[in-house]
Amino acid sequence: MADIYGKRLILLLVLGLAGAGGVVAALAPSMGVLIAGRCLEGLSIAGMFLSYSLMRDIFPKRILPLAISLCVTGTGIFGAFIPLLVGVLLERFGFRGLFWVDVAVIVLLFVVILLSTPESPLRKPATLDVLGGFLLGGGIALILIGISQGQAWGWRSVGVIGFVIAGLLVLGAFYLWSRRHRDPVVDLVVFTRRPILMVAVTSALAYAAFTLSSALYPLLSLAPPGNGYGLGLTPTAYAVIATPLSLAVVVGGFLVGKLVGRLGGRRWMIIGCVLLLVSGLLLTVFNDTVVQLLISSLIAGAGTGMTMAAVPNLVVEYAPADDQGSIAGSVQVATSAFSSIAPVIMFAFLASGATMTAAGPLYAETGYQSTALLMAGFAALALLLLFTVFAPRYISRSLKATESVTV
C-alpha cells in the first residue's frame, strides 16, 4: 500500500489504527477484546520499515545511513525511561495505564509526522492483494495456534496436528496464489535474489534471538529467588537491568550509523550476531545475580542494536528504489513471522517443566537454560549462513547478475 498510495499516508494510517487499538485494549472488558486491541496495536510495527523506506526518498544522502540507524534503534532512547515508567504504572494503575500511555505516544507521533514530514514522490502502479494477505496471515496464525497449545492438548493430539497441517495447507495456497497474482502481497521472487534473502534470513534469526532475550530478562529478574534462578525484583526495580539494556541498543545502532560506510552492513550484522551468541551462552550459566544479568543484557542490547540498524542499511543498499517499500515490507514479514514463533517455542520449553503454585506457574531452571541456548542457536545459525551460503563472493555474483539483467 505504501508503494501504491504513498509511504507517509500509510504510516499515518497504521499509527491511527494502532492508537485505536490502544484505546480498545485500555477499555477491554475481556481477554478476547484485549487481544483484538493488541492486534490493532501490532500495526504500529509496520512503522519501522515504513519510516526508513520514507527516509530514503526524502532525506539527504549524506545523513541517510545515520538517520536510518537511529530511526530503527532509537526506541532504546525511550526504552531507557520506559522500564521505570512501566513499573510505576503497573503498581498504581494496572495494565490499563500502560495502554493509555501507548495511546498518548501514538497521538503525539501522528501529529508530529503530520506537521513535519513530506510525502514520498515515488509511486508504483500495482493492485492490492487482499486475498494473499489473508492467506499468509491465516496460515501463520493456524500454525502458531497449534504450537502454542502443544503442551495443553498434547503434541500428538488431533487438535495440534490439525492446526499445523491446516496452516501449512493455507500457506501452500498462498504460494500458489502469489505465483499467479500480478502484484502479490509478498513477492516470493524477491527472495530468489541472494542479497535480499540474506537480509531476510539473518534479520529473522537475529530478531528471534532478541525476542527471546527480551522475554528472558524480565522473567528471570521478577521470578522469586530460591529455585536456582530468580532475583525477586519488583517491576520498578527491574529498571536497573532494562534501562542499561535499552541504552546499549541505542549505542549499537549509533555505531552502525556512524561507521556503516566503512565496514558495511554485512560486517555489522556479523558483529551483532556474535554478541547475541555470547549473550545467550552467558545466560545459560550466569543468571543468579543482578550483575550477571546486567552484563549479558548489555551484550545482548549492543548486538540487537547493531543487527537492527544493519538491516535497513542492507535493504537500502540492495533494493531498487522503486521496490523499496515492498522489499522492506517483505523482509519485515519474514522477520516478524519467524520471531513470532520463537516465544511460542520458548514457553513450550518452560511449560514442560512447570509446576503450578498459588502465585502462578513456577518454571524449572532447565527451561530457562534451553531458551537461552535456543537464543544462542539462532545467532549461531545466522553466522553460519553469513560465512557459507551468504558469503561475500556469492553476494557479489548475484549483484553482478542482477545488474546485467537490468542493463
Side-chain angles (χ1 to χ4, degrees):
M1 291 175 67
D3 287 337
I4 299 171
Y5 303 113
K7 295 165 187 174
R8 174 180 177 271
L9 174 64
I10 302 305
L11 178 58
L12 291 172
L13 175 63
V14 297
L15 284 176
L17 291 172
V23 174
V24 171
L27 300 174
S30 65
M31 178 61 76
V33 177
L34 176 62
I35 292 174
R38 288 291 289 159
C39 286
L40 282 174
E41 274 198 303
L43 291 169
S44 62
I45 295 175
M48 183 165 67
F49 68 83
L50 282 172
S51 296
Y52 69 72
S53 178
L54 176 59
M55 291 167 73
R56 169 175 172 163
D57 297 346
I58 64 175
F59 269 51
K61 288 185 177 181
R62 61 184 178 83
I63 64 169
L64 184 60
L66 178 59
I68 287 177
S69 300
L70 292 181
C71 171
V72 176
T73 60
T75 52
I77 298 174
F78 296 96
F81 309 101
I82 288 297
L84 192 60
L85 177 63
V86 166
V88 173
L89 289 172
L90 279 176
E91 293 171 1
R92 295 189 180 182
F93 305 104
F95 75 91
R96 297 183 191 275
L98 304 182
F99 290 117
W100 285 122
V101 171
D102 278 354
V103 174
V105 171
I106 289 173
V107 169
L108 177 62
L109 287 173
F110 186 96
V111 173
V112 170
I113 293 171
L114 185 66
L115 297 177
S116 69
T117 308
E119 179 61 276
S120 166
L122 298 181
R123 293 290 186 277
K124 180 179 180 180
T127 56
L128 197 60
D129 182 15
V130 178
L131 177 59
F134 277 110
L135 289 174
L136 177 61
I140 294 172
L142 288 170
I143 293 174
L144 289 180
I145 291 171
I147 295 175
S148 65
Q149 297 299 323
Q151 191 65 32
W153 297 349
W155 291 103
R156 298 181 181 179
S157 65
V158 174
V160 170
I161 296 174
F163 268 104
V164 172
I165 292 176
L168 292 174
L169 289 174
V170 173
L171 289 178
F174 163 73
Y175 171 74
L176 296 175
W177 171 258
S178 66
R179 294 194 63 179
R180 294 175 55 189
H181 197 276
R182 186 169 63 91
D183 300 303
V185 63
V186 175
D187 187 2
L188 298 178
V189 175
V190 165
F191 297 111
T192 62
R193 306 178 195 172
R194 197 179 292 244
I196 303 301
L197 183 62
M198 179 196 75
V199 179
V201 172
T202 55
S203 68
L205 290 168
Y207 197 72
F210 163 66
T211 302
L212 293 179
S213 72
S214 65
L216 277 173
Y217 288 115
L219 283 172
L220 289 169
S221 301
L222 302 178
N227 301 291
Y229 65 90
L231 303 180
L233 300 180
T234 64
T236 304
Y238 172 61
V240 73
I241 292 174
T243 296
L245 189 156
S246 298
L247 292 174
V249 173
V250 178
V251 171
F254 181 79
L255 286 174
V256 173
K258 290 294 289 184
L259 302 175
V260 69
R262 299 180 187 177
L263 296 180
R266 184 179 179 278
R267 288 191 179 94
W268 281 113
M269 177 65 77
I270 291 172
I271 296 171
C273 287
V274 168
L275 293 178
L276 287 169
L277 170 61
V278 171
S279 176
L281 293 176
L282 286 175
L283 205 54
T284 61
V285 181
F286 303 108
N287 51 37
D288 300 326
T289 67
V290 171
V291 173
Q292 290 175 353
L293 287 186
L294 182 59
I295 291 172
S296 64
S297 69
L298 287 172
I299 297 172
T304 298
M306 290 175 185
T307 54
M308 290 178 66
V311 170
N313 281 292
L314 286 169
V315 171
V316 167
E317 180 180 352
Y318 294 136
D322 57 347
D323 283 333
Q324 176 72 59
S326 59
I327 290 178
S330 299
V331 170
Q332 183 64 39
V333 167
T335 301
S336 299
F338 188 75
S339 62
S340 66
I341 298 173
V344 176
I345 300 173
M346 167 185 168
F347 280 101
F349 285 159
L350 293 176
S352 62
T355 56
M356 291 304 298
T357 67
L362 180 64
Y363 301 120
E365 186 178 15
T366 53
Y368 288 112
Q369 291 173 331
S370 298
T371 303
L373 285 174
L374 181 63
M375 170 188 166
F378 285 146
L381 180 57
L383 288 170
L384 177 64
L385 292 173
L386 283 166
F387 284 106
T388 55
V389 178
F390 302 130
R393 62 181 182 275
Y394 297 125
I395 299 298
S396 299
R397 290 176 192 170
S398 179
L399 289 174
K400 289 178 181 177
T402 303
E403 289 171 0
S404 299
V405 171
T406 302
V407 172

